[in-house]
Amino acid sequence: MPKALLNPHMRLSFAAILALLAIGLRPAAGMSPCPPQNELLAKAKIVVEARVKSLSIGESGLLLAEGVPTRMIRVDLAIKRVIKGKYPGKEAIVYGAALPPGPLSELTMMALITGLGGDDTFEWELARQEIGDGAAYFSMNACSYYKFPVYNVGPD
């Protein structure tokens, strides 16, 4: 194997490039697009204003068919207020697949700026997905409502 590939700096560079490529993924052309956000808000049962407490990507531990990705995204939310519906908790955990749809880049930005003050909250639909027999989780991969602050970070 070439010495350049064994270099820790090169491995880190390759990992960073792969991460950026994964974040830049968009839904495939064959997938049906999600409805506009205003329609999703009208259909949403629970919408909260929240902050990202933590965001992680790791192995799910699920026993899936061969070839199906097992890595999952976990987002721990601190609920500031309930905008629509009823949710008694002050925290929620949202799970999602590492593939689109899902606002992974926006959630990553919110995780980075949490605690810096100002616009570190966003609106999020807690989209409940039933697993069966009273078990459920909040999913980030369904077509669900979200609204993030707009940051003007680039040149005009």
Side-chain angles (χ1 to χ4, degrees):
M1 180 160 294
K3 287 184 181 182
L5 293 178
L6 298 177
N7 182 335
H9 297 301
M10 290 298 291
R11 286 192 303 226
L12 180 61
S13 297
F14 284 128
I17 290 168
L18 289 174
L20 289 172
L21 286 173
I23 289 172
L25 289 175
R26 297 289 177 246
M31 296 175 68
S32 58
C34 292
Q37 289 295 311
N38 60 348
E39 289 180 27
L40 293 173
L41 177 59
K43 293 178 184 176
K45 294 178 182 171
I46 303 170
V47 177
V48 297
E49 181 180 357
R51 286 184 178 87
V52 174
K53 287 177 35 178
S54 69
L55 183 142
S56 60
I57 301 174
E59 292 300 323
S60 65
L62 297 174
L63 304 174
L64 301 172
E66 190 171 328
V68 176
T70 58
R71 296 182 63 76
M72 298 282 292
I73 300 165
R74 175 186 164 135
V75 182
D76 293 14
L77 300 176
I79 309 296
K80 183 176 178 184
R81 69 184 176 102
V82 177
I83 296 171
K84 182 178 179 184
K86 292 183 181 183
Y87 184 73
K90 292 293 181 188
E91 298 178 348
I93 299 171
V94 180
Y95 294 96
L99 300 173
L104 180 58
S105 58
E106 291 91 342
L107 286 169
T108 303
M109 173 66 82
M110 297 311 292
L112 291 171
I113 67 169
T114 293
L116 295 178
D119 294 330
D120 65 346
T121 63
F122 56 95
E123 295 179 14
W124 187 267
E125 176 186 358
L126 295 177
R128 183 182 171 103
Q129 301 293 319
E130 297 290 329
I131 299 173
D133 293 339
Y137 68 97
F138 293 125
S139 170
M140 68 177 280
N141 289 97
C143 285
S144 56
Y145 171 77
Y146 54 82
K147 181 180 177 185
F148 292 94
V150 177
Y151 298 103
N152 188 7
V153 295
D156 290 335

